[in-house]
Amino acid sequence: MNTKSLLDGLLQNKLLTLPAYKRLLGALYPLQENAWFSTRLLLLGVGFVLAGVICFFAANWQHLGQLLKLALPLAGLLACGVGAWYKGVQSPVGQAFGFGAGVFVGVFLAVFGQVYQTGAFVYQLFGVWSLLLVPLAVLLRNKWFWLMVVYVAGIYWFSKTCSSLKTNWPLWCGVNGLFIAAWALAEVFVRQNGRVFCRFLWVPFSVFNLYLALMERVYVVKEWTFLILALVFAAAALVYAWYKKDIVLWAWNSFMLAGLGSLWVITLDGVPFCLWVSTAFFALASGAVAWAWPRLLEDRNNG
């Protein structure tokens, strides 16, 4: 239960007067809003800086000498390490430096492989990267960093498996099995203090199922297996979202169903017809979100 819910409960049970309720709410939430915006702006800034570093290497690769190519990511790694130590690894700024260090590790591995032409497969980069991220994750004790470790390891497994698979079934089972395990752990250990984190887990796996359905629907037109499974996945997620009173998860999977419905008509004749049907699907999804929003919000507040 968050602080506002606690104050609401005290007011409803007449344990708190209305003037006192307004005074406490007004004193509490400006501070919380400032902290919320500061944290998000910090994360946004870190994301832009790291994206800029990667784009810098990509755009200027041919103009950088070998020494500079290796020195720049090492300098970034050293600067992030010093910054995390100076600010403290548990402070927001220290955590941001920790994320930067994790990204610079991957940048250095990629640069090293390009400079010395090690002959390694691309997936081997992600395997080594994920192993080197584990000590950082233990040090930072940040659930989002652990999620990055899982995703980097997932990319390693995905890339390695795709190079030898003749069918997508092992890939589908592996990725969705990883999702179910990550989601179950988050529900048990993180849910009470990390609703947004648990929502985030659904996004990449929903996109993965949409991707497989799209590939099968476009290139193997007579096959519908992964499309049907993705529909079942999104429908089950809608039921779960209603049970948890989570409007964000409800909205995401409503539009996921609309996207899957659009895949159903993508190979039919007549582009205007496909566009009209797809528009209708997304309009229905918007209506479902508008219909559910006040009901889920009311049920959650009452709960």
Side-chain angles (χ1 to χ4, degrees):
M1 180 180 291
N2 58 36
T3 307
K4 185 177 183 306
S5 299
L6 178 61
L7 293 178
D8 290 342
L10 292 174
L11 180 64
Q12 291 175 359
N13 291 317
K14 298 182 179 180
L15 298 175
L16 194 65
T17 64
L18 184 58
Y21 169 83
K22 291 181 178 180
R23 185 173 63 255
L24 289 172
L25 201 61
L28 175 67
Y29 272 85
L31 297 177
Q32 289 192 349
E33 288 175 0
N34 290 338
W36 188 91
F37 280 112
S38 296
T39 303
R40 269 63 184 179
L41 288 174
L42 175 63
L43 293 175
L44 185 63
V46 170
F48 279 132
V49 169
L50 295 177
V53 169
I54 295 172
C55 291
F56 171 81
F57 276 97
N60 298 282
W61 183 257
Q62 300 297 329
H63 306 289
L64 297 174
Q66 290 190 357
L67 181 61
L68 196 58
K69 289 175 181 178
L70 293 170
L72 286 176
L74 284 176
L77 181 59
L78 178 62
C80 287
V82 171
W85 170 80
Y86 179 73
K87 290 294 184 180
V89 292
Q90 295 308 313
S91 68
V93 177
Q95 298 266 307
F97 276 120
F99 272 90
V103 172
F104 274 114
V105 168
V107 172
F108 175 76
L109 290 175
V111 170
F112 184 87
Q114 285 292 322
V115 169
Y116 289 103
Q117 292 296 313
T118 58
F121 292 104
V122 174
Y123 64 77
Q124 291 174 310
L125 160 68
F126 292 99
V128 176
W129 189 12
S130 63
L131 291 176
L132 292 176
L133 287 176
V134 171
L136 272 175
V138 173
L139 184 64
L140 292 175
R141 291 183 292 175
N142 184 294
K143 58 182 181 290
W144 294 99
F145 197 94
W146 275 111
L147 190 63
M148 184 171 77
V149 176
V150 171
Y151 285 159
V152 172
I155 293 173
Y156 159 73
W157 183 86
F158 182 92
S159 304
K160 186 177 186 297
T161 307
C162 281
S163 63
S164 59
L165 281 181
K166 296 181 179 179
T167 174
N168 285 325
W169 274 110
L171 185 64
W172 186 90
C173 294
V175 172
N176 282 285
L178 177 66
F179 157 69
I180 292 171
W183 166 75
L185 289 172
E187 282 293 308
V188 173
F189 296 109
V190 184
R191 181 77 191 184
Q192 295 301 319
N193 297 312
R195 181 185 295 273
V196 175
F197 178 78
C198 295
R199 291 168 179 165
F200 181 82
L201 285 172
W202 290 81
V203 175
F205 294 99
S206 296
V207 172
F208 169 77
N209 281 289
L210 183 64
Y211 164 79
L212 277 189
L214 174 63
M215 292 298 100
E216 183 185 63
R217 187 73 183 99
V218 173
Y219 295 108
V220 191
V221 179
K222 294 182 181 180
E223 291 293 332
W224 296 80
T225 310
F226 291 119
L227 178 63
I228 294 172
L229 288 172
L231 284 168
V232 172
F233 180 88
L238 274 183
V239 175
Y240 173 75
W242 187 268
Y243 171 73
K244 286 292 185 180
K245 315 302 179 189
D246 194 330
I247 185 59
V248 175
L249 194 58
W250 174 275
W252 172 263
N253 285 284
S254 295
F255 288 108
M256 178 71 179
L257 283 173
L260 291 169
S262 298
L263 286 183
W264 174 70
V265 298
I266 200 171
T267 55
L268 297 179
D269 293 333
V271 173
F273 173 75
C274 293
L275 289 176
W276 279 112
V277 174
S278 180
T279 301
F281 282 142
F282 279 97
L284 287 172
S286 301
V289 174
W291 173 83
W293 189 297
R295 290 166 175 79
L296 291 177
L297 186 62
E298 181 181 359
D299 289 345
R300 191 173 68 185
N301 289 337
N302 291 337

PDB file of all heavy atoms in Angstrom, residues 270-291:
ATOM      1  N   GLY A 270      -5.764  -6.448 -51.379  1.00  0.00           N
ATOM      2  CA  GLY A 270      -6.377  -5.134 -51.225  1.00  0.00           C
ATOM      3  C   GLY A 270      -5.800  -4.355 -50.062  1.00  0.00           C
ATOM      4  O   GLY A 270      -6.166  -4.590 -48.909  1.00  0.00           O
ATOM      5  N   VAL A 271      -4.882  -3.444 -50.352  1.00  0.00           N
ATOM      6  CA  VAL A 271      -4.251  -2.645 -49.305  1.00  0.00           C
ATOM      7  C   VAL A 271      -5.266  -1.783 -48.552  1.00  0.00           C
ATOM      8  O   VAL A 271      -5.226  -1.718 -47.326  1.00  0.00           O
ATOM      9  CB  VAL A 271      -3.127  -1.772 -49.907  1.00  0.00           C
ATOM     10  CG1 VAL A 271      -2.572  -0.817 -48.865  1.00  0.00           C
ATOM     11  CG2 VAL A 271      -2.015  -2.656 -50.452  1.00  0.00           C
ATOM     12  N   PRO A 272      -6.198  -1.111 -49.241  1.00  0.00           N
ATOM     13  CA  PRO A 272      -7.189  -0.311 -48.493  1.00  0.00           C
ATOM     14  C   PRO A 272      -7.989  -1.141 -47.496  1.00  0.00           C
ATOM     15  O   PRO A 272      -8.247  -0.697 -46.374  1.00  0.00           O
ATOM     16  CB  PRO A 272      -8.083   0.260 -49.594  1.00  0.00           C
ATOM     17  CG  PRO A 272      -7.215   0.280 -50.809  1.00  0.00           C
ATOM     18  CD  PRO A 272      -6.357  -0.946 -50.695  1.00  0.00           C
ATOM     19  N   PHE A 273      -8.367  -2.359 -47.900  1.00  0.00           N
ATOM     20  CA  PHE A 273      -9.119  -3.225 -46.989  1.00  0.00           C
ATOM     21  C   PHE A 273      -8.300  -3.545 -45.740  1.00  0.00           C
ATOM     22  O   PHE A 273      -8.793  -3.469 -44.611  1.00  0.00           O
ATOM     23  CB  PHE A 273      -9.510  -4.513 -47.718  1.00  0.00           C
ATOM     24  CG  PHE A 273     -10.138  -5.543 -46.813  1.00  0.00           C
ATOM     25  CD1 PHE A 273     -11.454  -5.394 -46.375  1.00  0.00           C
ATOM     26  CD2 PHE A 273      -9.418  -6.652 -46.387  1.00  0.00           C
ATOM     27  CE1 PHE A 273     -12.030  -6.333 -45.543  1.00  0.00           C
ATOM     28  CE2 PHE A 273      -9.985  -7.587 -45.557  1.00  0.00           C
ATOM     29  CZ  PHE A 273     -11.298  -7.435 -45.136  1.00  0.00           C
ATOM     30  N   CYS A 274      -7.015  -3.887 -45.935  1.00  0.00           N
ATOM     31  CA  CYS A 274      -6.140  -4.200 -44.800  1.00  0.00           C
ATOM     32  C   CYS A 274      -6.001  -3.003 -43.867  1.00  0.00           C
ATOM     33  O   CYS A 274      -6.021  -3.146 -42.642  1.00  0.00           O
ATOM     34  CB  CYS A 274      -4.774  -4.637 -45.312  1.00  0.00           C
ATOM     35  SG  CYS A 274      -4.783  -6.210 -46.203  1.00  0.00           S
ATOM     36  N   LEU A 275      -5.856  -1.816 -44.443  1.00  0.00           N
ATOM     37  CA  LEU A 275      -5.703  -0.618 -43.628  1.00  0.00           C
ATOM     38  C   LEU A 275      -6.965  -0.337 -42.817  1.00  0.00           C
ATOM     39  O   LEU A 275      -6.893   0.033 -41.641  1.00  0.00           O
ATOM     40  CB  LEU A 275      -5.361   0.582 -44.522  1.00  0.00           C
ATOM     41  CG  LEU A 275      -3.962   0.572 -45.138  1.00  0.00           C
ATOM     42  CD1 LEU A 275      -3.799   1.760 -46.079  1.00  0.00           C
ATOM     43  CD2 LEU A 275      -2.897   0.618 -44.049  1.00  0.00           C
ATOM     44  N   TRP A 276      -8.132  -0.506 -43.451  1.00  0.00           N
ATOM     45  CA  TRP A 276      -9.384  -0.259 -42.736  1.00  0.00           C
ATOM     46  C   TRP A 276      -9.572  -1.251 -41.591  1.00  0.00           C
ATOM     47  O   TRP A 276      -9.964  -0.877 -40.481  1.00  0.00           O
ATOM     48  CB  TRP A 276     -10.570  -0.339 -43.697  1.00  0.00           C
ATOM     49  CG  TRP A 276     -10.799   0.907 -44.487  1.00  0.00           C
ATOM     50  CD1 TRP A 276     -10.645   1.091 -45.823  1.00  0.00           C
ATOM     51  CD2 TRP A 276     -11.239   2.174 -43.966  1.00  0.00           C
ATOM     52  NE1 TRP A 276     -10.934   2.371 -46.185  1.00  0.00           N
ATOM     53  CE2 TRP A 276     -11.307   3.072 -45.057  1.00  0.00           C
ATOM     54  CE3 TRP A 276     -11.558   2.639 -42.700  1.00  0.00           C
ATOM     55  CZ2 TRP A 276     -11.703   4.394 -44.916  1.00  0.00           C
ATOM     56  CZ3 TRP A 276     -11.947   3.958 -42.548  1.00  0.00           C
ATOM     57  CH2 TRP A 276     -12.020   4.813 -43.643  1.00  0.00           C
ATOM     58  N   VAL A 277      -9.284  -2.523 -41.847  1.00  0.00           N
ATOM     59  CA  VAL A 277      -9.443  -3.535 -40.804  1.00  0.00           C
ATOM     60  C   VAL A 277      -8.455  -3.285 -39.658  1.00  0.00           C
ATOM     61  O   VAL A 277      -8.805  -3.370 -38.478  1.00  0.00           O
ATOM     62  CB  VAL A 277      -9.244  -4.948 -41.384  1.00  0.00           C
ATOM     63  CG1 VAL A 277      -9.260  -5.998 -40.269  1.00  0.00           C
ATOM     64  CG2 VAL A 277     -10.335  -5.249 -42.399  1.00  0.00           C
ATOM     65  N   SER A 278      -7.202  -2.964 -39.998  1.00  0.00           N
ATOM     66  CA  SER A 278      -6.216  -2.669 -38.962  1.00  0.00           C
ATOM     67  C   SER A 278      -6.621  -1.456 -38.132  1.00  0.00           C
ATOM     68  O   SER A 278      -6.490  -1.459 -36.897  1.00  0.00           O
ATOM     69  CB  SER A 278      -4.847  -2.430 -39.615  1.00  0.00           C
ATOM     70  OG  SER A 278      -3.880  -2.134 -38.649  1.00  0.00           O
ATOM     71  N   THR A 279      -7.140  -0.431 -38.795  1.00  0.00           N
ATOM     72  CA  THR A 279      -7.617   0.756 -38.074  1.00  0.00           C
ATOM     73  C   THR A 279      -8.745   0.396 -37.118  1.00  0.00           C
ATOM     74  O   THR A 279      -8.806   0.897 -35.984  1.00  0.00           O
ATOM     75  CB  THR A 279      -8.079   1.825 -39.072  1.00  0.00           C
ATOM     76  OG1 THR A 279      -6.996   2.175 -39.938  1.00  0.00           O
ATOM     77  CG2 THR A 279      -8.568   3.071 -38.352  1.00  0.00           C
ATOM     78  N   ALA A 280      -9.626  -0.480 -37.575  1.00  0.00           N
ATOM     79  CA  ALA A 280     -10.742  -0.911 -36.721  1.00  0.00           C
ATOM     80  C   ALA A 280     -10.226  -1.664 -35.489  1.00  0.00           C
ATOM     81  O   ALA A 280     -10.719  -1.463 -34.367  1.00  0.00           O
ATOM     82  CB  ALA A 280     -11.694  -1.797 -37.519  1.00  0.00           C
ATOM     83  N   PHE A 281      -9.215  -2.510 -35.690  1.00  0.00           N
ATOM     84  CA  PHE A 281      -8.647  -3.251 -34.557  1.00  0.00           C
ATOM     85  C   PHE A 281      -8.069  -2.299 -33.511  1.00  0.00           C
ATOM     86  O   PHE A 281      -8.295  -2.456 -32.301  1.00  0.00           O
ATOM     87  CB  PHE A 281      -7.566  -4.217 -35.040  1.00  0.00           C
ATOM     88  CG  PHE A 281      -8.099  -5.475 -35.659  1.00  0.00           C
ATOM     89  CD1 PHE A 281      -7.485  -6.042 -36.766  1.00  0.00           C
ATOM     90  CD2 PHE A 281      -9.219  -6.103 -35.126  1.00  0.00           C
ATOM     91  CE1 PHE A 281      -7.984  -7.195 -37.341  1.00  0.00           C
ATOM     92  CE2 PHE A 281      -9.721  -7.273 -35.691  1.00  0.00           C
ATOM     93  CZ  PHE A 281      -9.098  -7.819 -36.805  1.00  0.00           C
ATOM     94  N   PHE A 282      -7.308  -1.304 -33.966  1.00  0.00           N
ATOM     95  CA  PHE A 282      -6.676  -0.376 -33.018  1.00  0.00           C
ATOM     96  C   PHE A 282      -7.712   0.549 -32.377  1.00  0.00           C
ATOM     97  O   PHE A 282      -7.545   0.972 -31.233  1.00  0.00           O
ATOM     98  CB  PHE A 282      -5.581   0.425 -33.710  1.00  0.00           C
ATOM     99  CG  PHE A 282      -4.284  -0.329 -33.829  1.00  0.00           C
ATOM    100  CD1 PHE A 282      -3.955  -0.996 -34.997  1.00  0.00           C
ATOM    101  CD2 PHE A 282      -3.415  -0.383 -32.756  1.00  0.00           C
ATOM    102  CE1 PHE A 282      -2.768  -1.705 -35.097  1.00  0.00           C
ATOM    103  CE2 PHE A 282      -2.226  -1.093 -32.843  1.00  0.00           C
ATOM    104  CZ  PHE A 282      -1.898  -1.758 -34.024  1.00  0.00           C
ATOM    105  N   ALA A 283      -8.790   0.848 -33.107  1.00  0.00           N
ATOM    106  CA  ALA A 283      -9.873   1.632 -32.506  1.00  0.00           C
ATOM    107  C   ALA A 283     -10.550   0.840 -31.393  1.00  0.00           C
ATOM    108  O   ALA A 283     -10.879   1.387 -30.326  1.00  0.00           O
ATOM    109  CB  ALA A 283     -10.884   2.031 -33.574  1.00  0.00           C
ATOM    110  N   LEU A 284     -10.758  -0.454 -31.625  1.00  0.00           N
ATOM    111  CA  LEU A 284     -11.331  -1.308 -30.584  1.00  0.00           C
ATOM    112  C   LEU A 284     -10.413  -1.384 -29.368  1.00  0.00           C
ATOM    113  O   LEU A 284     -10.878  -1.371 -28.220  1.00  0.00           O
ATOM    114  CB  LEU A 284     -11.584  -2.711 -31.139  1.00  0.00           C
ATOM    115  CG  LEU A 284     -12.759  -2.861 -32.114  1.00  0.00           C
ATOM    116  CD1 LEU A 284     -12.765  -4.255 -32.726  1.00  0.00           C
ATOM    117  CD2 LEU A 284     -14.081  -2.594 -31.396  1.00  0.00           C
ATOM    118  N   ALA A 285      -9.099  -1.477 -29.613  1.00  0.00           N
ATOM    119  CA  ALA A 285      -8.147  -1.511 -28.504  1.00  0.00           C
ATOM    120  C   ALA A 285      -8.200  -0.211 -27.704  1.00  0.00           C
ATOM    121  O   ALA A 285      -8.185  -0.225 -26.466  1.00  0.00           O
ATOM    122  CB  ALA A 285      -6.730  -1.751 -29.036  1.00  0.00           C
ATOM    123  N   SER A 286      -8.287   0.920 -28.388  1.00  0.00           N
ATOM    124  CA  SER A 286      -8.399   2.205 -27.694  1.00  0.00           C
ATOM    125  C   SER A 286      -9.668   2.266 -26.865  1.00  0.00           C
ATOM    126  O   SER A 286      -9.679   2.759 -25.735  1.00  0.00           O
ATOM    127  CB  SER A 286      -8.374   3.359 -28.707  1.00  0.00           C
ATOM    128  OG  SER A 286      -7.176   3.349 -29.461  1.00  0.00           O
ATOM    129  N   GLY A 287     -10.770   1.749 -27.433  1.00  0.00           N
ATOM    130  CA  GLY A 287     -12.024   1.715 -26.687  1.00  0.00           C
ATOM    131  C   GLY A 287     -11.934   0.825 -25.455  1.00  0.00           C
ATOM    132  O   GLY A 287     -12.486   1.157 -24.396  1.00  0.00           O
ATOM    133  N   ALA A 288     -11.222  -0.305 -25.579  1.00  0.00           N
ATOM    134  CA  ALA A 288     -11.069  -1.206 -24.431  1.00  0.00           C
ATOM    135  C   ALA A 288     -10.281  -0.533 -23.310  1.00  0.00           C
ATOM    136  O   ALA A 288     -10.595  -0.696 -22.126  1.00  0.00           O
ATOM    137  CB  ALA A 288     -10.363  -2.489 -24.877  1.00  0.00           C
ATOM    138  N   VAL A 289      -9.254   0.237 -23.689  1.00  0.00           N
ATOM    139  CA  VAL A 289      -8.471   0.948 -22.681  1.00  0.00           C
ATOM    140  C   VAL A 289      -9.308   2.027 -22.002  1.00  0.00           C
ATOM    141  O   VAL A 289      -9.305   2.173 -20.774  1.00  0.00           O
ATOM    142  CB  VAL A 289      -7.208   1.563 -23.325  1.00  0.00           C
ATOM    143  CG1 VAL A 289      -6.458   2.426 -22.314  1.00  0.00           C
ATOM    144  CG2 VAL A 289      -6.294   0.464 -23.857  1.00  0.00           C
ATOM    145  N   ALA A 290     -10.062   2.804 -22.816  1.00  0.00           N
ATOM    146  CA  ALA A 290     -10.909   3.864 -22.257  1.00  0.00           C
ATOM    147  C   ALA A 290     -11.989   3.282 -21.344  1.00  0.00           C
ATOM    148  O   ALA A 290     -12.337   3.878 -20.320  1.00  0.00           O
ATOM    149  CB  ALA A 290     -11.541   4.662 -23.393  1.00  0.00           C
ATOM    150  N   TRP A 291     -12.518   2.109 -21.717  1.00  0.00           N
ATOM    151  CA  TRP A 291     -13.558   1.471 -20.896  1.00  0.00           C
ATOM    152  C   TRP A 291     -12.985   0.949 -19.579  1.00  0.00           C
ATOM    153  O   TRP A 291     -13.602   1.063 -18.519  1.00  0.00           O
ATOM    154  CB  TRP A 291     -14.172   0.323 -21.688  1.00  0.00           C
ATOM    155  CG  TRP A 291     -15.130  -0.506 -20.883  1.00  0.00           C
ATOM    156  CD1 TRP A 291     -16.449  -0.236 -20.632  1.00  0.00           C
ATOM    157  CD2 TRP A 291     -14.843  -1.745 -20.217  1.00  0.00           C
ATOM    158  NE1 TRP A 291     -17.001  -1.227 -19.846  1.00  0.00           N
ATOM    159  CE2 TRP A 291     -16.040  -2.162 -19.583  1.00  0.00           C
ATOM    160  CE3 TRP A 291     -13.709  -2.529 -20.098  1.00  0.00           C
ATOM    161  CZ2 TRP A 291     -16.109  -3.334 -18.842  1.00  0.00           C
ATOM    162  CZ3 TRP A 291     -13.774  -3.701 -19.354  1.00  0.00           C
ATOM    163  CH2 TRP A 291     -14.960  -4.083 -18.738  1.00  0.00           C
TER     164      TRP A 291
END
